[in-house]
Amino acid sequence: MPRATARTLAIALAATCVAAAAADYARLPGGEFASVLPQGATPGSSAVARIAPFELRTTPVTRAEFRAFLVLHPDWRRAQAPGVFADAAYLADGPAADDPPGAGDARPVTEVSWFAAQAFCESEGGRLPTWLEWESAAAADATRADARADPAWRQRILSWYAQPAAATPADVGGAPDVHGVRDLHGLVWEWVDDFNALFVAGDSRTQGDPDTLRFCGAGAISLADRDNYAVLMRVALLSSLQARDTLRSLGFRCARPLPGDPR
Amino acid sequence: MRLRLQSLRGTLHRASAFIGLAALAALAAPALAANAPGDFGPPQGEPIHATLTSPPFVPPPIHRSFPAKVIVDLEVVEKQMQISEGVNYTFWTFGGTVPGSFIRVRQGDTVEFHLKNDPANKMAHNIDLHGVTGPGGGAASSFTAPGHESKFTFKALNEGIYVYHCATAPVGMHIANGMYGLILVEPPQGMPKVDHEYYVMQGDFYTGGKYREKGDQPFDMEKAIDERPTYVLFNGAEGALTGDKALKAKVGETVRLFVGNGGPNLVSSFHVIGAIFDEVRFEGGTNIQKNVQTTLIPAGGAAIAKFRTRVPGSYVMVDHSIFRAFNKGALAILKVEGQEDKTIYSGKELDSVYLGDRARPNLDAVAKATESARQGTLSLQDQVKAGEALFTGTCSVCHQANGAGLAGVFPPLAKSDYLAADVKRAITIPLRGLTGKITVNGTPYDSVMPPMSQLNDDEVANILTYVLNSWSNPGGRVSADEVKQARAQGAPAATASGH
């Protein structure tokens, strides 16, 4: 083994250990959940979804964590990532593998494509959460697993929407919710595994058009609960994306099955 | 035969749409039969970049004699601006303003539309142009994530003024945050020349706080669903078109207003106080309505209003659902400067006191007299004071406050020989009126005084007592009983018995 490669590997392994140590997951109980998206057997019909227990990263992936990932996976560095997996703005503001540790390390990494996010999660034995997992986790507040009926919960989401995007997001580590998960609202948008199955039409008013339903049963969206619009805006954002796209305000966190769960 | 006739009629109908397009006729003729009305054939010449303007300005007229490919670049910007003095609101905009940039193309143009979503934005957006023929008006083809750009192309088949707006979920919220504007599709021959063209667009806004509550105000979905706006505004902010920012014109100029209504909820009763629209293309359609005071502009609709300024002054534009104007901000000003024309408008010519019948302050004396009469302590002074108050409200309009009347029209009560000659006769005049020729103090009168049947016996007595004791009249007193008797006698109405 050439020395240079060995050294890189050593650094990479060290970095991986750091990353692994930093990755903190919380246990989410799952269970029955009423999504804003119709979950019925027939398109457009509502039904309660059943979510298996899972683990979710307590914070979005940080720039420091993603830098460590780039050290180990040079294919995902800005210069190397193939265009089909990441658009031109991919990691345009860093981090790069050879950046020294410094200010901004605790900020959530943004400008990552769905492919890159998925690769990161796989590298630590996880995956991106599904929309239902993400939505059910995000329904919590500090004391309740489902606080969505509380106007204060909705107002907290909306207050973030009401601010124009900051030049750079704040550091991760907001107040924990009842599950110990942080920053689901008010910091960045987050990729989900099935982002492209949420909402099929760019023109939201055509939801329920049989033509579109033929392609995607989950696509029909109806505002049965008028308070859902706060979450709907997240769906609208995600559904405007393609998997190679990156945004300054879009990061991700990973999920994984419970230990011992064969899934 | 019948088929042939119908087809001929169809051809004629299509052809009629092109009257006035002599220059184009030769060019377009081969395509006529195949194309939809308004399709003048393929674009010619080099592509043109459309000039976009921020409100209240309108891009210059097009003056082009052929259909072209027109490239429109419109950027979506999310930014905080003032909705009212000291009140911040996060607007979502087409081009950085509310309403969005004004787009002007020519009928028959092929429009290549580029919708750009600023990388700093948080939301995905799209655009539905009502001037587009096609599903969604372009919405599905323009769904754009932040940091991305979408392109779609449409042919401007129909001329007119059209609203555009964002149609991303939740649609109402995108519109309520200011995502609308106007696109003008000029007829091929252009529009008649005017001195000024302005761009005004109404919208309703829903903030968490009350009207003019300072600080950062979030969007309030609850109010929006209930259609209870906090603000109703022209051009996205209170004061956007007042003071230094008022629209301007000179006397004798023609003004064309492109007036849109973005909604999301309210219909506008658009009115300019002190002006009459000479012409309105109501609903933005082709028909022209003339001499319009107030034109209705539906949410998601627009109109073109034209008028000539006649006299100088500040003309206030309002939504004539008037609480919106004075309590929610729907006010704009058109300032017209120049020479006055007194033959059209004089300005104020008269400022005189007008007291409504029994104006409130007078009632005290009347109430006191009534009370004294009830207790049997009514004094001459009480009667005179009450009578004066009642006279001021009822009689002074004709007989004048000083009792002098108006020579030849209303007989005088001051130093009146007619009154002094017969007080009993005088009692019957307020009860039954007086019609016909009489002579008072040597001057003939021939008019009609109706019966003052609204006055009760006390009141008539007090008025007459006041009159008898004023303006060098002989004095004396009339009691309510005397009035009651006169009323009961049903004596013939005082007539012009001469004197």
Side-chain angles (χ1 to χ4, degrees), chain B residues 333-349:
Chain B
I333 304 268
L334 170 69
K335 199 160 192 169
V336 178
E337 291 181 337
Q339 281 293 312
E340 300 217 27
D341 183 344
K342 298 278 192 189
T343 65
I344 294 177
Y345 187 72
S346 71
K348 193 158 201 169
E349 290 178 312

Side-chain angles (χ1 to χ4, degrees), chain B residues 176-297:
Chain B
N177 281 346
M179 297 199 76
Y180 45 77
L182 292 180
I183 175 169
L184 173 65
V185 182
E186 264 194 19
Q189 71 276 16
M191 306 183 83
K193 192 178 171 346
V194 290
D195 296 303
H196 300 280
E197 288 184 327
Y198 288 119
Y199 171 22
V200 177
M201 199 154 180
Q202 181 171 324
D204 27 304
F205 295 86
Y206 305 81
T207 62
K210 288 183 178 136
Y211 175 64
R212 288 188 176 170
E213 192 172 316
K214 307 275 189 233
D216 295 350
Q217 292 295 336
F219 168 71
D220 188 325
M221 188 68 154
E222 208 67 25
K223 282 186 187 170
I225 291 171
D226 294 346
E227 305 192 11
R228 285 187 292 115
T230 325
Y231 294 87
V232 180
L233 301 172
F234 294 120
N235 290 8
E238 212 173 6
L241 294 171
T242 61
D244 292 346
K245 291 181 252 172
L247 305 180
K248 290 179 181 65
K250 293 196 174 65
V251 167
E253 289 186 325
T254 44
V255 177
R256 179 180 288 134
L257 298 176
F258 295 99
V259 191
N261 184 6
N265 288 323
L266 301 186
V267 165
S268 173
S269 300
F270 185 73
H271 175 79
V272 178
I273 298 173
I276 297 155
F277 302 130
D278 297 323
E279 293 180 359
V280 175
R281 281 185 59 171
F282 54 98
E283 296 172 7
T286 313
N287 288 336
I288 291 175
Q289 178 73 287
K290 296 189 174 179
N291 302 317
V292 177
Q293 55 185 319
T294 301
T295 191
L296 202 64
I297 305 177

